[in-house]
Amino acid sequence: MPTASTPTHCPYCALQCGMALSPLPAGGVEVVERPDFPVNRGALCGKGRTAPAVLSSGVRLTTPLVRSGGSLVPAGWEEALDRIAGEFARVRAAHGADALGVFGGGGLTNEKAYALGKFARVVLGTSQIDYNGRFCMSSAAAAGIKAFGLDRGLPFPMEDIPRTGCVILVGSNPAETMPPALRFFDELRENGGTLIVVDPRRTRTAEHADLHLAPRPGTDLALALGLLHLIVAEGRVDEEYVRERTTGWEDARAAAMAHWPEYVERITGVSVPQLRQAVRLFCEPGAAMVLTARGPEQQSKGTDTVGAWINLCLATGRAGRPFSGYGCLTGQGNGQGGREHGQKADQLPGYRKLDDPAARRHVAGVWGVDPDSLPGPGRSAYELLDALGSDVRSLLLMGSNPVVSAPRAAHVEERIRSLDFLAVCDVVLSETAALADVVLPVTQWAEETGTTTSLEGRVLLRRRALTAPDGVRSDLEVLHGLAARLGVEKGFPTDPEEVFEELRRASAGGIADYSGISYRRLAEGAGEGVFWPCPADPADPEATEATSELTEPVDGGAGRRERGTPRLFLDRFATEDGRARFVPVSHRPAAEEPDEDYPVLLTTGRVVAQYQSGAQTRRVDELNAAAPGPFVELHPRLAARLGAAEGDALAVVSRRGRAVAPARITPGIRPDTVFMPFHWPGEGRANSLTNPALDPTSRMPEFKVCAVRVEKAAGTD
């Protein structure tokens, strides 16, 4: 183990907060602050501070497990890998390559995500690969590509937020989901700017806002259209900007004008005076931003909803200008990089499209295979999970826990149980891993080197700080071993830097161009990382072989900078004509609206002390003490109708399932809405209730709104 402190990054959310790991005399490491890293300036939430607790051998897996006689029992690595390879070969021979599935995760490093996508397409020959990042910001990605020609969570660094005049924060609660980020919004207000929070709950973040808008869940699209209507009606459109830097305004304006304020008030529950106040706060400063998160995105109309908020920015000239723009607050640790380099069903490395012949030729050339051998696009995440046990017979799963995190989770669990064979790579025995036929214990963030890409598009280097326990291997070693057993001896190195060098070549010339980034460069510059796109400089001794194929920088000629491209679109957008595109959209109801049998709306989210499916955080005593289990948050008026008191067990029932958890009564939520966090399995599993209705473009499920009924659980007085 290194004897000095090792600079690295938190393993949890997309802030990728800087931290250092210092060795302890008795073994293990402790977290030390890194005030030099600009995103968190040393601050860490409880999850980051306690992250080393999951490294303990008493918490994590340290030996492979294979199913024997109905139980998982310890086994050797060779036996475990042989069994996986043998089962995959058998299923492929009997049912074809597409009977094999691969499901990845938004927490995998860039190197792992890249290698996993390559493994699926080159070794298995399957199109059936996707990842849980589809559940994160896919709607925002789809809308960003439509409008700007490019999807990067934030087109500017976090440090720009305090320097704008107004931020509309839609469906995001950073006070609990990424606490160190809250300081940027507080500094915005200290500098004289204003914060508008859009959320059906009065969250901890909303407590910091100058204006809180609490729309009915599923109506964010109508709200954005109502604001744009007022911007037009009040003469606040930046006509010169619209004329010079956009296309499609006439159709988008016509769609917005059908959403007059009183109509929007009836749909959303947000009053007309509040709508007018929001427009004034947003339009009066010289610069402003709209930032969205899962609230508007995890809807069956999420792409259109985000598109409506982007239209708001474009109509007012608030995109591609300093301290202005639209951005998405990515959730998972490598949610950005995870979808750029090939583990998403329709993508190849560099954010290339799998059905683009030129992209296939380029990547196939790097991989040394025939472009025609690469399969086409496969199923999206939920559709892949829904096909398990029927079209998809065997599954390799890395870094995800869909038994807890997927919508309609009981159905997904049933599909997983119906598989012929399931292999899981994880650091702990998650609820999904417990159903596997083979479980492989893999290294964690502090035990391996690799890169991640933060919500800013900042590529960062995580460094190994300690040696993994005996019996634990890296995901790259797993893929290397399986590839060799399945007849591909070369092309799957175990050294992460070697993988990254190949990723550079594969991404060169793509939208997410990493070819100018190297481990050496990431280690320099105080470890602040490099923003993509970062094409290679042909004069650089580390330039890749593919520099002759590079396109012009997508930010319109800013060129290669020491930090890459921190700010996009200042000169032009990443479209063919350099103009941003308005997309006309109109409000439509949620896939499932309340009715007589299910009269209440459910929305879901996170709490500060737990993370995603809780597979790791639920194993940390300090975090469990702060957030020991699920709950149902409801308004006092709804509680009174039910005759429920604080702490009473409530049953929440949807058309898909039932969940039971204690009541938490607060006036900070709409009376027609209940909220449940989704971190827990068992009877309190919120995703037993959620609706898998998919956005037609992004294939994002509608996690954020479904119809339920709420009743006191049996046995409650």
Side-chain angles (χ1 to χ4, degrees):
M1 186 175 73
T3 56
S5 178
T6 303
T8 188
H9 296 272
C10 177
Y12 290 112
C13 83
L15 283 183
Q16 288 297 282
C17 290
M19 60 165 62
L21 296 177
S22 181
L24 293 169
V29 292
E30 66 176 347
V31 171
V32 180
E33 291 183 355
R34 270 183 63 192
D36 60 310
F37 189 64
V39 174
N40 63 309
R41 306 173 202 165
L44 294 166
C45 72
K47 296 185 291 291
R49 287 188 296 99
T50 61
V54 189
L55 300 169
S56 167
S57 59
V59 173
R60 52 95 55 82
L61 296 168
T62 56
T63 187
L65 303 172
V66 299
R67 192 162 297 279
S68 176
S71 301
L72 288 171
V73 298
W77 270 96
E78 301 312 305
E79 176 189 354
L81 292 173
D82 285 347
R83 184 165 174 184
I84 296 171
E87 289 290 335
F88 279 19
R90 180 189 64 78
V91 168
R92 183 168 59 183
H95 304 285
D98 274 356
L100 301 175
V102 177
F103 199 86
L108 300 180
T109 63
N110 290 317
E111 293 80 1
K112 294 178 187 178
Y114 172 83
L116 188 62
K118 181 181 178 183
F119 176 83
R121 295 176 175 111
V122 172
V123 178
L124 300 182
T126 183
S127 67
Q128 301 304 300
I129 175 172
D130 211 75
Y131 80 127
N132 64 13
R134 179 79 69 169
F135 301 156
C136 179
M137 59 173 290
S138 57
S139 293
I145 290 170
K146 283 185 176 184
F148 307 129
L150 179 150
D151 152 46
R152 196 180 84 184
L154 293 181
F156 41 73
M158 295 286 289
E159 64 198 46
D160 283 3
I161 292 173
R163 303 168 70 182
T164 192
C166 177
V167 171
I168 301 180
L169 190 59
V170 189
S172 177
N173 183 17
E176 299 206 55
T177 59
M178 46 181 66
L182 191 63
R183 69 168 60 190
F184 292 104
F185 300 100
D186 288 341
E187 288 174 10
L188 162 72
R189 299 182 69 213
E190 291 168 5
N191 293 341
T194 55
L195 175 64
I196 302 171
V197 170
V198 179
D199 200 302
R201 305 166 59 222
R202 188 161 183 81
T203 62
R204 294 184 185 181
T205 303
E207 294 289 346
H208 291 249
D210 298 280
L211 176 63
H212 173 215
L213 307 180
R216 182 176 179 268
T219 64
D220 307 272
L221 174 53
L223 177 63
L225 288 164
L227 296 177
L228 183 53
H229 178 112
L230 284 171
I231 285 169
V232 175
E234 295 178 6
R236 297 181 183 270
V237 175
D238 188 332
E239 300 286 357
E240 181 180 359
Y241 174 94
V242 168
R243 183 171 58 254
E244 294 182 355
R245 298 203 61 186
T246 73
T247 62
W249 168 233
E250 293 303 324
D251 289 341
R253 178 176 61 184
M257 296 313 289
H259 298 76
W260 59 95
E262 292 76 13
Y263 172 58
V264 169
E265 179 181 75
R266 289 198 301 273
I267 294 171
T268 65
V270 177
S271 70
V272 172
Q274 284 187 310
L275 296 174
R276 294 188 184 280
Q277 183 183 5
V279 165
R280 178 180 59 80
L281 293 175
F282 183 69
C283 292
E284 286 186 353
M289 299 174 179
V290 173
L291 305 178
T292 67
R294 306 303 79 74
E297 297 162 19
Q298 287 181 327
Q299 298 185 29
S300 59
K301 53 182 182 293
T303 302
D304 284 357
T305 300
V306 174
W309 290 102
I310 291 174
N311 287 349
L312 201 71
C313 292
L314 295 178
T316 53
R318 307 305 178 88
R321 284 179 169 172
F323 314 121
S324 286
Y326 164 77
C328 168
L329 298 179
T330 310
Q332 295 190 78
N334 198 31
Q336 182 69 53
R339 71 178 177 285
E340 294 170 359
H341 299 301
Q343 67 172 333
K344 190 165 173 276
D346 58 351
Q347 284 179 354
L348 288 170
Y351 226 137
R352 287 181 161 90
K353 299 296 289 183
L354 189 53
D355 56 5
D356 177 359
R360 294 170 67 88
R361 285 195 301 271
H362 173 84
V363 174
V366 174
W367 289 351
V369 300
D370 184 343
D372 292 337
S373 70
L374 299 178
R379 292 176 171 90
S380 70
Y382 179 77
E383 291 166 307
L384 174 56
L385 295 171
D386 190 43
L388 298 182
S390 54
D391 294 341
V392 179
R393 310 294 291 266
S394 294
L395 183 70
L396 173 65
L397 187 145
M398 279 189 174
S400 186
N401 188 18
V403 166
V404 178
S405 63
R408 198 186 175 196
H411 171 74
V412 168
E413 180 178 346
E414 177 186 312
R415 301 319 307 153
I416 289 173
R417 289 180 182 274
S418 72
L419 281 164
D420 291 359
F421 183 79
L422 172 65
V424 173
C425 300
D426 211 330
V427 298
V428 296
L429 191 67
S430 70
E431 287 73 22
T432 305
L435 304 179
D437 297 285
V438 176
V439 182
L440 301 179
V442 290
T443 50
Q444 296 190 59
W445 57 286
E447 301 161 348
E448 59 188 13
T449 295
T451 61
T452 62
T453 306
S454 76
L455 78 170
E456 305 169 295
R458 188 193 298 257
V459 184
L460 299 161
L461 182 63
R462 285 186 189 164
R463 300 168 176 85
R464 185 178 69 86
L466 73 167
T467 302
D470 292 339
V472 174
R473 297 185 184 180
S474 73
D475 295 281
L476 296 179
E477 291 175 307
V478 169
L479 295 176
H480 173 86
L482 291 176
R485 284 166 170 80
L486 290 165
V488 181
E489 297 285 345
K490 296 182 179 180
F492 290 87
T494 60
D495 175 49
E497 186 169 7
E498 188 176 346
V499 176
F500 190 80
E501 286 300 304
E502 183 177 301
L503 183 158
R504 293 175 67 192
R505 298 195 301 275
S507 74
I511 291 175
D513 191 335
Y514 283 32
S515 61
I517 305 173
S518 66
Y519 272 33
R520 178 192 61 79
R521 188 174 179 190
L522 292 174
E524 295 173 349
E528 292 188 7
V530 177
F531 295 83
W532 73 259
C534 185
D537 181 347
D540 191 321
E542 292 188 338
T544 73
E545 299 171 5
T547 53
S548 62
E549 300 181 24
L550 295 178
T551 60
E552 288 298 312
V554 297
D555 67 332
R560 186 167 189 261
R561 304 171 182 171
E562 195 57 34
R563 299 173 65 203
T565 314
R567 296 171 181 87
L568 298 172
F569 313 138
L570 295 181
D571 300 308
R572 69 190 306 273
F573 295 96
T575 57
E576 289 185 3
D577 60 6
R579 292 170 173 263
R581 306 183 190 101
F582 282 96
V583 177
V585 294
S586 296
H587 170 71
R588 61 182 185 273
E592 184 178 77
E593 291 286 344
D595 58 22
E596 185 177 349
D597 295 324
Y598 301 95
V600 177
L601 289 166
L602 168 71
T603 191
T604 64
R606 288 167 48 190
V607 297
V608 67
Q610 301 288 353
Y611 182 72
Q612 303 299 75
S613 75
Q616 295 187 44
T617 52
R618 285 187 276 110
R619 288 166 167 81
V620 179
D621 290 342
E622 180 180 330
L623 300 179
N624 281 333
F631 57 86
V632 180
E633 185 177 285
L634 71 165
H635 191 274
R637 294 214 304 260
L638 178 55
R641 289 203 299 272
L642 298 171
E646 182 78 12
D648 282 354
L650 295 180
V652 183
V653 184
S654 77
R655 290 178 173 85
R656 290 153 296 280
R658 181 176 187 267
V660 178
R664 182 174 293 182
I665 301 171
T666 172
I669 190 170
R670 291 176 55 97
D672 58 2
T673 301
V674 295
F675 166 84
M676 290 188 71
F678 57 77
H679 308 290
W680 288 273
E683 71 171 5
R685 181 173 61 184
N687 277 319
S688 295
L689 310 168
T690 49
N691 191 350
L694 300 179
D695 180 285
T697 303
S698 68
R699 316 308 288 170
M700 167 77 86
E702 193 154 59
F703 287 98
K704 279 296 182 282
V705 52
C706 70
V708 298
R709 67 173 181 267
V710 185
E711 54 201 22
K712 295 180 71 172
T716 303
D717 293 334

